[in-house]
Amino acid sequence: MRRHVLRGWVLCWLMLVWVLLWGKASPANILGGLAIAAVITVLLPLPAVPVEGRVHPLSLAKLIIVVGYQLVLSSVQVAWLAVKPGPPPLTAVLRAQLAIKSDLVLALAVNIFNLVPGSIVLEIDQERRLLYMHVLDVGNEKALGRFYRQVEQTQRLLVAAFERDADWQPSTSKEDSPS
């Protein structure tokens, strides 16, 4: 049942995108959008992503607020680095170890780190849960500490929102089991 509801949601979402692209909600655009959405979902299906935890709304709200704050603060810091007189800031590629269990939450973490100005994920070691990130302004211990605290805080909030031990149920899909 859940799969059919999700498929219907995807069809409606793709149809809405089609209508928005055309700019007019006419019957022809709606039917055309549904036809295109059906073709896309049949010919180009996305792989199933296992959902192994539960969403905790209050923790998710805290995550959104903290990430929003990080976005604003980092934007101001990067803007200051761009206009301040003197030599350009020292940059480096840093490694961050994560304790995130789910691939879905790992992908969300990577997206959050890429959105925050001043850092970008260059490589993901999915098996060992290591991220290699290019980071601006690592010229002193304070800046390095700030980076690692931000990674740790984001990780803690993601685990609280999606991967609490009490709710964690590892995937039992065919792909995960040995053949």
Side-chain angles (χ1 to χ4, degrees):
M1 180 63 180
R2 180 175 179 237
R3 197 173 104 208
H4 295 298
V5 170
L6 184 59
R7 191 171 294 240
W9 169 252
V10 169
L11 284 172
C12 289
W13 179 251
L14 289 173
M15 182 267 306
L16 176 65
V17 169
W18 181 261
V19 170
L20 290 173
L21 285 171
W22 282 99
K24 185 177 180 186
S26 69
N29 283 342
I30 292 171
L31 290 175
L34 283 173
I36 295 293
V39 168
I40 288 172
T41 57
V42 170
L43 296 180
L44 304 169
L46 292 173
V49 177
V51 177
E52 300 162 319
R54 287 186 42 214
V55 176
H56 297 274
L58 292 177
S59 296
L60 179 60
K62 185 176 180 182
L63 172 69
I64 291 168
I65 289 167
V66 169
V67 169
Y69 173 75
Q70 288 174 353
L71 288 171
V72 171
L73 181 63
S74 294
S75 295
V76 170
Q77 290 170 343
V78 169
W80 172 245
L81 289 173
V83 298
K84 82 174 189 176
L90 182 64
T91 64
V93 175
L94 302 177
R95 181 178 62 206
Q97 176 79 48
L98 300 179
I100 292 173
K101 302 172 200 165
S102 164
D103 288 342
L104 183 63
V105 178
L106 178 64
L108 181 59
V110 168
N111 282 305
I112 289 170
F113 295 134
N114 283 339
L115 279 174
V116 174
S119 68
I120 188 164
V121 177
L122 300 173
E123 186 176 340
I124 305 166
D125 184 340
Q126 187 176 0
E127 303 240 341
R128 296 187 299 169
R129 297 299 199 230
L130 290 173
L131 300 181
Y132 295 91
M133 293 189 258
H134 182 266
V135 182
L136 289 177
D137 193 24
V138 293
N140 57 43
E141 289 296 320
K142 183 179 174 185
L144 280 172
R146 183 173 52 242
F147 166 75
Y148 285 113
R149 279 192 307 278
Q150 183 177 355
V151 169
E152 181 59 34
Q153 180 184 34
T154 302
Q155 175 181 249
R156 260 186 292 110
L157 292 169
L158 283 165
V159 168
F162 302 109
E163 292 190 342
R164 293 182 185 175
D165 286 334
D167 301 326
W168 183 253
Q169 298 175 352
S171 174
T172 57
S173 68
K174 293 178 185 174
E175 293 174 309
D176 293 339
S177 62
S179 304

